[in-house]
Amino acid sequence: MFDIYILNLCAEQKRRYMCEGALFAMQTPFDRLKRWSAIDDLNYEKTRDVLEDAIADGFPAFQSYLDKGQQNEYNITVYTQMWNYCRFWRYLVKLGETVMIIQDDRKLCIPYLALQEIVQSLREFDPEFQFLSLWCKHFAMNAADFPIRWISEGSPIAYGIFEGGADTGHIVTPKGAEWLIDNVIGFFPPRVEYAVRALCHKKEHFYTLADEDVNLDHLVPDNRAYLSGRILNRKSPDGLVRSIHTTSDDHTLAK
């Protein structure tokens, strides 16, 4: 059994409770559910401030964004999100356990035990697996760049990271978390899901549950409940992103 962590802002407790309710409805044991307190970008005026605090927090690679002036090119929310994921991955390395992390605006739609079965089947296939992305958003234009290679007939699990939703929900081991910390910081644009997709679509021990749109019925005749679109569903729109025009270095607050 593994723990499930909800990535959640202190100011967004309603999202946390709704996410927890969905997890409990899917028979997630109470003692397996954890909350990971995320740093809120609303505590910062400028994107530069977030990056400087991330550097001071022990992630010197964030300096590359400042060196390139990229703090003025992307939203403060996504920089903060990358920092939050790195904080969590660092915690996981020290914890030494395999866990699942889920965004608080998603809900689990299959029983916890079924999720365990997916992980167990992957462990049997690859005892050294490091990362399983649970949500796949298929873009037809990416099919040629990221062709899906199934691990076996009848399984919805595919080699590598095909999609752009790795920050929505994933199961990660300490070794996978350590690799992510060492590699995703500095990627631009600074979105966790973009970095993971670009860097890991062919990486050994990294996997994706592929979307129904790119599955053939004969490949997964008995496992349609395992497909990613049936595992995590969005329950609320993302309205938390602040414009770069309000947080760049050359922005001054109105007097």
Side-chain angles (χ1 to χ4, degrees):
M1 298 180 76
F2 51 84
D3 290 338
I4 298 179
Y5 284 79
I6 300 172
L7 185 65
N8 173 248
L9 298 172
C10 291
E12 294 291 338
Q13 291 307 294
K14 182 179 179 180
R15 290 163 63 117
R16 167 196 173 185
Y17 296 143
M18 293 179 68
C19 185
E20 286 180 340
L23 286 161
F24 289 139
M26 293 295 106
Q27 297 88 51
T28 304
F30 181 82
D31 62 349
R32 290 294 174 181
L33 193 55
K34 315 287 183 183
R35 173 179 176 269
W36 179 256
S37 180
I39 293 172
D40 195 335
D41 67 86
L42 292 177
N43 296 327
Y44 294 89
E45 179 182 343
K46 295 185 179 298
T47 305
R48 171 180 290 276
D49 300 332
V50 169
L51 294 174
E52 289 177 345
D53 274 9
I55 294 166
D57 188 35
F59 300 105
F62 276 93
Q63 180 66 45
S64 66
Y65 296 119
L66 293 174
D67 293 342
K68 298 174 183 177
Q70 291 171 331
Q71 76 277 6
N72 295 322
E73 299 178 12
Y74 223 82
N75 296 332
I76 191 171
T77 307
V78 293
Y79 277 111
T80 311
Q81 183 185 54
M82 179 170 282
W83 179 20
N84 279 318
Y85 269 99
C86 288
R87 289 175 56 245
F88 178 79
W89 291 330
R90 178 176 61 189
Y91 163 78
L92 184 57
V93 171
K94 294 180 180 178
L95 183 67
E97 297 180 5
T98 297
V99 305
M100 173 180 167
I101 183 166
I102 184 175
Q103 292 274 54
D104 63 5
D105 65 343
R106 305 286 161 164
K107 62 180 181 180
L108 182 66
C109 299
I110 65 169
Y112 175 82
L113 290 179
L115 194 60
Q116 274 195 283
E117 291 177 8
I118 294 172
V119 176
Q120 182 59 36
S121 68
L122 183 53
R123 283 176 171 154
E124 293 172 357
F125 175 79
D126 178 7
E128 301 299 321
F129 100 91
Q130 298 176 20
F131 188 99
L132 173 63
S133 180
L134 297 173
W135 187 81
C136 176
K137 186 175 183 181
H138 171 61
F139 296 95
M141 63 182 179
N142 290 335
D145 296 329
F146 305 106
I148 290 183
R149 296 180 300 118
W150 311 104
I151 64 171
S152 62
E153 192 79 8
S155 172
I157 301 172
Y159 289 101
I161 304 299
F162 175 76
E163 37 59 57
D167 68 335
T168 298
H170 59 262
I171 294 172
V172 61
T173 71
K175 190 171 182 180
E178 185 174 19
W179 188 92
L180 290 165
I181 292 171
D182 291 340
N183 289 275
V184 302
I185 305 173
F187 186 88
F188 192 84
R191 301 184 69 102
V192 171
E193 65 269 36
Y194 293 176
V196 172
R197 182 180 66 183
L199 300 174
C200 305
H201 69 282
K202 293 183 178 180
K203 181 169 170 52
E204 189 177 11
H205 309 309
F206 276 58
Y207 299 90
T208 287
L209 283 178
D211 189 77
E212 293 98 319
D213 290 345
V214 293
N215 265 299
L216 300 176
D217 289 343
H218 75 277
L219 287 174
V220 283
D222 302 317
N223 295 321
R224 291 197 63 79
Y226 285 7
L227 297 180
S228 58
R230 308 288 180 89
I231 290 179
L232 299 179
N233 282 341
R234 180 186 290 270
K235 67 175 185 59
S236 64
D238 183 3
L240 304 179
V241 178
R242 294 159 65 192
S243 168
I244 185 63
H245 300 298
T246 66
T247 60
S248 63
D249 287 345
D250 56 2
H251 172 73
T252 56
L253 294 175
K255 300 295 185 183

